[in-house]
């Protein structure tokens, strides 16, 4: 008999299973977090103050997802409206050394981090005598270690408290299913504590479905997906050089393996955000020979969160991009549009985006036999253009 085909097991994601996930901007004070928030949201919140804790309450904004596919569909259908997808971003106040012990409003800040699903960690890599550094000088690896240590120390505290509760049940003894499960849970939680004490993050490990269920119930800070944003001076960003970049990459590879490092110049992004037209921004990018990395930053976070898009399109109403988690079946995707569509789902008429663009119209897609009718078990793919059919007149 031929050998069975090996199916690669997909890594199970930690965190909430929803589609509307939130990202928080994290870092030490005065590293560029609030300026980055303003640039990425085009939302002026006033000039960021040059002192720690300028941001006390997390600011929230929806950031539009750049989408050439949505633009092409809009050009094809020419409807009255074009509705893009978005991600939700929070600007969280700066952490300080000792935050895990409550210093520098640490408890409030750590609670805000606990409430988001993923982290943009801003790391300062620029010198500026006018912008003080809370630690006295610019040292990106030290700053990475401070943030890492504070999150790990708080997680160790969370995990130890969780373990105490689990062990109380284990000590009851007996052969009940609950006791058996709690014994396994105690082993897992101790494994997490050992991992954290060794300097590692929970998010960068592989976990079984049962382990993910337990970890999700603990709301650990180091279980958040993380993207490292390295804030360079405009000069260093233009020349694509900085003496600290190699050391940063080595640190991330060791303590946060698999996570993405994106160099940027927040001062450059801020300058672009204040320009009134796309033409002005494009001209400035052309003049300097560099491009904004904000689109990359947004799309990378969606990928980290396992989010994909499907589209609905029509000439009379709108073209819209919808966000779902990868692996979502057709009825649940319909439910993102309206819960009634999920409850009364009949089928989904599906066109692949590339087929629609290449063939030029829905009529041509159908004539080519590429309009697909899919039922309840169909797993929606990134870029699907879908028309849902449902009962009780819901379409």
């Amino acid at each position: 008999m031929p050998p069975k085909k090996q199916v690669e097991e997909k890594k199970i994601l930690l965190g909430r299973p929803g589609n509307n996930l939130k990202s928080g901007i994290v870092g030490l004070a005065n590293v560029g977090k609030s300026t980055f928030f303003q640039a990425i949201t085009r939302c002026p919140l006033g000039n960021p103050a040059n002192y720690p804790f300028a941001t006390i309450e997390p600011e929230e904004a929806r950031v539009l997802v750049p989408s050439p596919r949505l633009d092409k569909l809009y050009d094809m259908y020419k409807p009255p409206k074009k509705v893009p997808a978005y991600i939700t971003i929070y600007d969280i106040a700066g952490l300080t050394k000792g935050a895990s012990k409550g210093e520098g409003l640490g408890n409030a800040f750590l609670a805000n981090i606990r409430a988001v699903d993923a982290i943009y960690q801003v790391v300062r890599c620029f010198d500026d005598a006018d912008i003080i550094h809370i630690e006295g000088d610019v040292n990106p690896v030290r700053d990475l270690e401070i943030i890492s240590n504070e999150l790990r120390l708080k997680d160790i505290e969370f995990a130890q408290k969780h373990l105490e509760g689990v062990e109380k049940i284990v000590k009851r003894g007996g052969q009940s299913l609950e006791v058996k499960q709690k014994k396994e849970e105690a082993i897992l939680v101790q494994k997490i504590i050992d991992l954290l004490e060794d300097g590692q993050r929970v998010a960068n490990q592989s976990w079984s479905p049962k382990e993910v269920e337990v970890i999700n119930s603990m709301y650990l800070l180091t279980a958040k997906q993380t993207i490292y944003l390295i804030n360079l001076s405009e000069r260093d960003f233009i020349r694509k050089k900085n003496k600290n970049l190699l050391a940063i990459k080595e640190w991330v590879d060791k303590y946060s393996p698999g996570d993405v490092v994106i160099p940027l110049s927040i001062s450059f992004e801020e300058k672009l955000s204040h320009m009134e037209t796309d033409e002005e921004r494009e001209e400035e990018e052309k003049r300097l020979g560099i491009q904004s990395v904000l689109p990359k930053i947004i799309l990378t976070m969606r990928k980290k969160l396992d989010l994909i898009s499907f589209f609905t399109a029509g000439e009379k109403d709108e073209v819209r991009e919808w966000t779902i988690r990868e692996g979502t079946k057709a009825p649940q995707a319909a439910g993102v549009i309206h819960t009634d569509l999920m409850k009364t789902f009949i089928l989904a008429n599906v066109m692949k985006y590339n087929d629609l663009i290449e063939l030029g119209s829905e009529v041509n897609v159908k004539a080519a036999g590429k309009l697909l009718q899919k039922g309840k078990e169909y797993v929606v793919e990134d870029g699907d253009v879908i028309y849902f059919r449902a009962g009780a007149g819901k379409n």
Side-chain angles (χ1 to χ4, degrees):
M1 292 179 65
K4 289 184 178 179
K5 186 178 180 182
Q6 293 292 319
V7 178
E8 186 178 344
E9 194 169 309
K10 183 174 174 56
K11 184 176 178 180
I12 298 169
L13 287 182
L14 297 166
R16 297 187 303 138
N19 306 311
N20 185 21
L21 303 180
K22 302 170 184 177
S23 304
I25 305 169
V26 172
L28 295 179
N30 293 347
V31 297
K33 298 183 311 302
S34 293
T35 307
F36 170 68
F37 179 82
Q38 292 176 30
I40 201 168
T41 60
R42 302 289 196 266
C43 248
L45 301 173
N47 293 322
N50 181 25
Y51 55 88
F53 321 130
T55 309
I56 302 301
E57 296 299 325
E59 300 285 352
E60 175 187 1
R62 288 182 173 183
V63 177
L64 299 184
V65 174
S67 179
R69 294 183 300 185
L70 182 69
D71 295 337
K72 283 190 176 181
L73 289 173
Y74 180 75
D75 291 340
M76 175 181 288
Y77 283 91
K78 296 180 173 57
K81 285 199 303 181
K82 175 172 67 172
V83 185
Y86 65 85
I87 62 173
T88 303
I89 292 183
Y90 286 83
D91 177 23
I92 298 173
L95 282 170
T96 60
K97 190 185 292 184
S100 60
K101 296 175 182 160
E103 294 180 22
L105 304 177
N107 287 332
F109 297 166
L110 292 169
N112 290 331
I113 297 172
R114 210 174 187 192
V116 301
D117 300 285
I119 294 169
Y120 286 119
Q121 184 168 327
V122 180
V123 183
R124 178 170 170 175
C125 234
F126 66 90
D127 292 303
D128 189 330
D130 294 329
I131 302 176
I132 62 171
H133 192 293
I134 195 169
E135 291 297 318
D137 63 337
V138 175
N139 185 332
V141 171
R142 178 205 57 209
D143 294 354
L144 283 164
E145 288 173 349
I146 289 173
I147 298 291
S148 173
N149 289 339
E150 296 307 322
L151 300 187
R152 285 190 307 101
L153 288 170
K154 200 64 182 178
D155 273 358
I156 290 170
E157 181 186 321
F158 290 146
Q160 287 173 338
K161 285 181 180 177
H162 188 91
L163 185 59
E164 288 172 11
V166 172
E167 286 179 336
K168 283 181 183 178
I169 298 173
V170 172
K171 286 176 182 176
R172 293 179 196 165
Q175 301 298 317
S176 70
L177 179 61
E178 182 187 23
V179 170
K180 182 183 176 184
Q181 289 173 338
K182 291 301 178 183
K183 284 181 179 177
E184 293 174 354
E185 188 170 329
I187 293 169
L188 169 64
V189 177
Q190 186 58 58
K191 178 182 174 182
I192 290 169
I193 292 170
D194 294 342
L195 180 83
L196 292 166
E197 289 179 341
D198 193 39
Q200 298 297 314
R201 286 171 16 92
V202 174
N204 302 101
Q205 317 302 317
S206 294
W207 305 100
S208 71
K210 282 186 179 179
E211 289 172 332
V212 168
E213 192 173 332
V214 173
I215 293 168
N216 284 348
S217 73
M218 297 169 69
Y219 300 102
L220 298 174
L221 302 170
T222 63
K224 313 289 183 185
Q225 296 293 320
T226 299
I227 295 171
Y228 294 92
L229 302 179
I230 313 306
N231 187 12
L232 307 173
S233 67
E234 188 172 317
R235 176 177 176 270
D236 283 356
F237 183 61
I238 291 170
R239 66 194 189 108
K240 297 181 172 60
K241 287 183 180 180
N242 181 279
K243 62 183 180 181
N244 297 297
L245 288 176
L246 180 59
I248 291 169
K249 182 68 169 60
E250 288 173 349
W251 187 94
V252 171
D253 287 345
K254 184 175 181 180
Y255 295 107
S256 199
D259 282 329
V260 180
V261 175
I262 302 178
L264 79 160
S265 168
I266 292 175
S267 63
F268 168 69
E269 301 293 353
E270 181 193 28
K271 183 165 63 176
L272 290 185
S273 73
H274 290 307
M275 294 179 177
E276 293 184 0
T277 66
D278 289 342
E279 288 75 17
E280 284 182 285
R281 285 187 282 273
E282 288 169 9
E283 185 61 35
E284 181 66 9
E285 289 174 326
K286 186 178 179 182
R287 184 181 72 82
L288 295 173
I290 53 175
Q291 287 187 312
S292 169
V293 293
L294 295 186
K296 179 181 179 180
I297 287 169
I298 295 167
L299 295 172
T300 301
M301 180 57 80
R302 285 187 101 224
K303 188 173 182 180
K304 287 286 278 184
L305 289 170
D306 226 21
L307 298 174
I308 62 172
S309 296
F310 73 89
F311 300 89
T312 53
E315 294 176 359
K316 294 180 181 178
D317 188 13
E318 65 182 23
V319 168
R320 183 185 290 246
E321 182 169 0
W322 302 89
T323 299
I324 55 172
R325 207 75 178 261
E326 188 174 355
T328 300
K329 292 184 178 179
Q332 286 70 42
V336 173
I337 300 173
H338 197 290
T339 52
D340 285 350
L341 284 176
M342 179 172 68
K343 293 173 185 175
T344 60
F345 176 89
I346 295 174
L347 62 83
N349 287 320
V350 179
M351 295 178 287
K352 300 301 176 184
Y353 170 81
N354 288 339
D355 290 340
L356 182 55
I357 296 301
E358 287 171 12
L359 296 171
S361 72
E362 291 183 18
V363 172
N364 292 343
V365 171
K366 189 172 183 179
K370 293 189 174 184
L371 177 63
L372 311 173
Q373 290 195 334
K374 298 292 185 178
K376 291 182 178 180
E377 294 304 309
Y378 175 67
V379 176
V380 176
E381 297 180 355
D382 185 47
D384 281 352
V385 182
I386 307 179
Y387 178 79
F388 293 105
R389 289 185 57 190
K394 296 286 183 182
N395 288 304

